[in-house]
Amino acid sequence: MTPLSPDAIEALFTRSDDQYLFARWGRPIVPVVFGVTEETVTVLKGAIEALCVLTGHKMAETDPELGANLMVFFVQDWAELTETPNLDRLIPDLGPLVTRLQQAGANQYRIFRFDEEGAIKACFSFVRVDDHLASVPADTLALNQMTQAILLWSDRAFGDTSPLAVADGVAILRPDIADVMRAAYDPVLPAMARDASHALRLAARVGRVQ
């Protein structure tokens, strides 16, 4: 698969309001998963660990400010979120959010929090296991969810095409997306960028970052 063009990379971080916004994690990732079996938790944590190896980022046992900073919630119905103890303290507008998700018929949603420099400091990932997601293998679902949590992609980045591909019947990260992720965590680049020229700097590193 050929590397993505500068325009294609720019589109990955250009939001639906046509504003470019890139951010990567600025601290080690500490994941915690709710609503699934221990086996699935292991698969999810394995996926984020693999992506940290890919990007050169770090994981940790605890976050000094938040305890855990990547929280993944699996539910059968969005209404379950309002019944989760103390979640409304983390997500102040939880009630209205649940209503919007129900009305949209959504099956996933992510909320990011940022530090003073604009880097990601926390991500709350919500997944409603509808009929479609229930048919997706756990390792595929895990890799897809973690891929979308490790960078602040555009809200329309993967609306038409998945960040994953299939090789020998197994879901893998698309090589061109993997290249972008490696480049995104190049320590020479800023942890947050609002200027689309940042996409040119990513493009210059795609395929050359080891």
Side-chain angles (χ1 to χ4, degrees):
M1 185 174 289
T2 58
L4 293 174
S5 68
D7 286 346
I9 293 174
E10 181 179 338
L12 289 173
F13 302 102
T14 301
R15 307 189 67 78
S16 52
D17 61 2
D18 293 327
Q19 299 299 307
Y20 186 90
L21 179 57
F22 164 91
R24 69 184 184 212
W25 284 82
R27 59 181 65 190
I29 297 174
V30 183
V32 62
V33 186
F34 303 94
V36 291
T37 64
E38 188 61 35
E39 181 180 1
T40 302
V41 170
T42 300
V43 172
L44 281 154
K45 290 186 175 180
I48 195 65
E49 182 177 8
L51 295 181
C52 283
V53 170
L54 169 73
T55 60
H57 195 55
K58 304 295 184 183
M59 292 179 69
E61 292 296 324
T62 186
D63 181 277
E65 180 183 352
L66 302 168
N69 54 33
L70 173 54
M71 301 185 185
V72 186
F73 298 84
F74 286 86
V75 297
Q76 297 295 321
D77 187 284
W78 288 125
E80 295 175 33
L81 294 179
T82 59
E83 301 167 3
T84 303
N86 301 319
L87 186 57
D88 56 343
R89 295 183 182 181
L90 294 172
I91 314 295
D93 298 324
L94 182 61
L97 172 61
V98 167
T99 299
R100 292 200 306 273
L101 293 174
Q102 290 172 327
Q103 292 174 344
N107 61 13
Q108 56 186 298
Y109 188 78
R110 275 165 293 278
I111 298 173
F112 289 88
R113 299 272 174 83
F114 307 92
D115 62 20
E116 296 80 3
E117 304 299 321
I120 300 170
K121 74 173 184 179
C123 175
F124 305 93
S125 181
F126 305 104
V127 182
R128 179 176 66 86
V129 185
D130 59 11
D131 291 342
H132 169 67
L133 291 185
S135 66
V136 176
D139 55 348
T140 303
L141 181 60
L143 183 57
N144 183 62
Q145 289 299 317
M146 296 302 96
T147 295
Q148 297 197 59
I150 203 167
L151 287 172
L152 182 67
W153 304 99
S154 165
D155 53 340
R156 57 189 181 187
F158 303 119
D160 297 324
T161 59
S162 171
L164 308 185
V166 176
D168 297 325
V170 177
I172 62 170
L173 188 63
R174 277 171 40 197
D176 54 348
I177 295 298
D179 286 343
V180 172
M181 291 168 61
R182 275 193 295 263
Y185 276 86
D186 185 331
V188 173
L189 296 181
M192 186 276 288
R194 294 183 179 275
D195 193 307
S197 63
H198 173 265
L200 295 176
R201 300 181 68 185
L202 287 176
R205 288 162 171 77
V206 163
R208 297 194 291 110
V209 179
Q210 300 300 320

